[in-house]
Amino acid sequence: MKLEPKVVGVSGKGGVGKTSFLALTLKAILEKNTRHTILVVDADPDSNMPDVLGVDTTENIGLVVNELKEKIDKLPPDFGKAEYLEYKVFDVLYEGDKFDLLVMGAPEREGCYCLVNNLLMKIMDTLTKNYTLVLIDLPAGLEHISRRTSAHVDIMFLITDPSKMGIQTAARIKELAKTLHREFKKILLIINKASPETEEILKEHSKKFGLEYAGSVPVDEKLAEFNLRGVPLLELPDDSPAYIAVKKIVEETLPI
Ligand SMILES: Nc1ncnc2c1ncn2[C@@H]1O[C@H](COP(=O)(O)OP(=O)(O)OP(=O)(O)O)[C@@H](O)[C@H]1O
Ligand SMILES: [Mg+2]
């Protein structure tokens, strides 16, 4: 029986730790040695997942789409745009031993080229069906929800840091998703860079906002240091406090 792909996303205010959380989620899944086939999608235009995962690539879908849009008017009518785009998507896709990575890249240029966008959505739908687990790093804030640029997500981790703005953004994302009938089967709140004191306050807030709390990740100096040094987070030691916390959350919430 073929497993239904499970799409896991991270969202939240800028700089709260979305990318770090997703990278450590991947590390935890890989360590479990599950039979999952994994696709990581970097959907943040300001992409940094390749660095964080130690993948050497500069290619992205944005560049391909922009290139196609530029020449679309000059192409002969019988030019197979769908085939071309599909070929290019697979060209951009990084295929590793343990996971694949697709970088979405820069935002589109001005103007509506709905044809290209629709084609891309279809290709993305087909592509994600090739995997049993898809991890998406979404851009900060709410815009991706209202613009419906993000694909369908089953489990959405809303990340907050210990700040009122962080949890307010998380609450807004949840509300907006509801208003726009975006279906996230599960929305879970993660408190990052928490101390015991701030964690308690944020847990109270999360109840008030109707957010389901799934766990906290402590401040981890090694994580910050790895980030500064440009060392991939997959290499973070197994006993690092942030990794231990993320691993527990992953084991409790994801189908691994
Ligand atoms: N638990 C943690 N302990 C220490 N530092 C952390 C922790 N989580 C994240 N950081 C640091 O915080 C900074 C922001 O993290 P990260 O890039 O993961 O956030 P982000 O939400 O993805 O940001 P953006 O909105 O810009 O995409 C990085 O320098 C990272 O190393
Ligand atoms: Mg990020």
Side-chain angles (χ1 to χ4, degrees):
M1 193 185 79
K2 198 167 180 297
L3 271 173
E4 268 296 296
K6 276 273 173 288
V7 182
V8 179
V10 283
S11 189
K13 195 173 77 74
V16 291
K18 299 178 291 296
T19 303
S20 306
F21 179 83
L22 201 66
L24 294 183
T25 296
L26 174 66
K27 178 173 161 67
I29 297 165
L30 294 178
E31 195 193 75
K32 281 267 158 196
N33 234 337
T34 58
R35 301 173 75 101
H36 277 298
T37 49
I38 306 168
L39 172 68
V40 180
V41 180
D42 188 346
D44 186 349
D46 190 14
S47 76
N48 57 0
M49 209 37 134
D51 283 346
V52 172
L53 298 181
V55 171
D56 187 14
T57 176
T58 52
E59 292 186 275
N60 66 60
I61 299 292
L63 296 172
V64 170
V65 168
N66 281 343
E67 192 194 348
L68 185 60
K69 281 174 182 173
E70 250 171 38
K71 54 184 184 192
I72 201 158
D73 297 332
K74 294 165 215 142
L75 292 169
D78 59 347
F79 180 84
K81 297 177 196 80
E83 291 76 16
Y84 173 80
L85 204 55
E86 189 170 348
Y87 162 77
K88 281 292 196 177
V89 168
F90 280 94
D91 202 33
V92 166
L93 180 73
Y94 159 86
E95 292 175 276
D97 291 341
K98 295 177 178 159
F99 62 90
D100 294 356
L101 172 67
L102 190 69
V103 182
M104 298 309 288
E108 300 144 20
R109 298 233 170 109
E110 291 290 305
C112 177
Y113 291 87
C114 302
L115 174 71
V116 177
N117 294 345
N118 290 342
L119 287 176
L120 189 60
M121 287 304 252
K122 274 199 197 121
I123 295 167
M124 288 299 292
D125 273 351
T126 318
L127 178 71
T128 50
K129 289 202 176 79
N130 294 338
Y131 300 85
T132 59
L133 202 57
V134 181
L135 306 178
I136 310 186
D137 189 15
L138 289 162
L142 297 85
E143 211 208 352
H144 63 91
I145 309 238
S146 46
R147 282 178 60 217
R148 291 170 181 265
T149 40
S150 49
H152 133 103
V153 172
D154 295 306
I155 301 171
M156 180 68 99
F157 286 112
L158 295 180
I159 319 287
T160 184
D161 60 359
S163 76
K164 209 166 175 183
M165 291 86 78
I167 192 145
Q168 275 168 351
T169 301
R172 281 193 202 118
I173 290 171
K174 185 187 169 193
E175 280 311 307
L176 188 63
K178 205 160 76 185
T179 318
L180 296 175
H181 304 289
R182 290 298 308 268
E183 269 206 45
F184 303 137
K185 288 190 190 123
K186 226 172 175 42
I187 297 180
L188 298 168
L189 181 77
I190 305 294
I191 303 170
N192 189 30
K193 305 186 202 181
S195 66
E197 294 79 14
T198 53
E199 187 183 352
E200 278 317 305
I201 303 170
L202 283 162
K203 272 195 203 166
E204 280 306 311
H205 281 308
S206 69
K207 277 191 212 139
K208 204 171 67 198
F209 288 125
L211 289 162
E212 188 178 337
Y213 165 78
S216 301
V217 181
V219 171
D220 188 328
E221 290 308 329
K222 209 142 209 116
L223 190 160
E225 186 196 320
F226 270 45
N227 179 289
L228 281 173
R229 290 191 195 282
V231 184
L233 286 188
L234 296 178
E235 290 169 26
L236 203 65
D238 289 351
D239 63 354
S240 94
Y243 178 59
I244 291 173
V246 174
K247 197 165 104 176
K248 182 164 176 282
I249 294 168
V250 167
E251 284 166 352
E252 287 171 359
T253 57
L254 296 188
I256 56 167

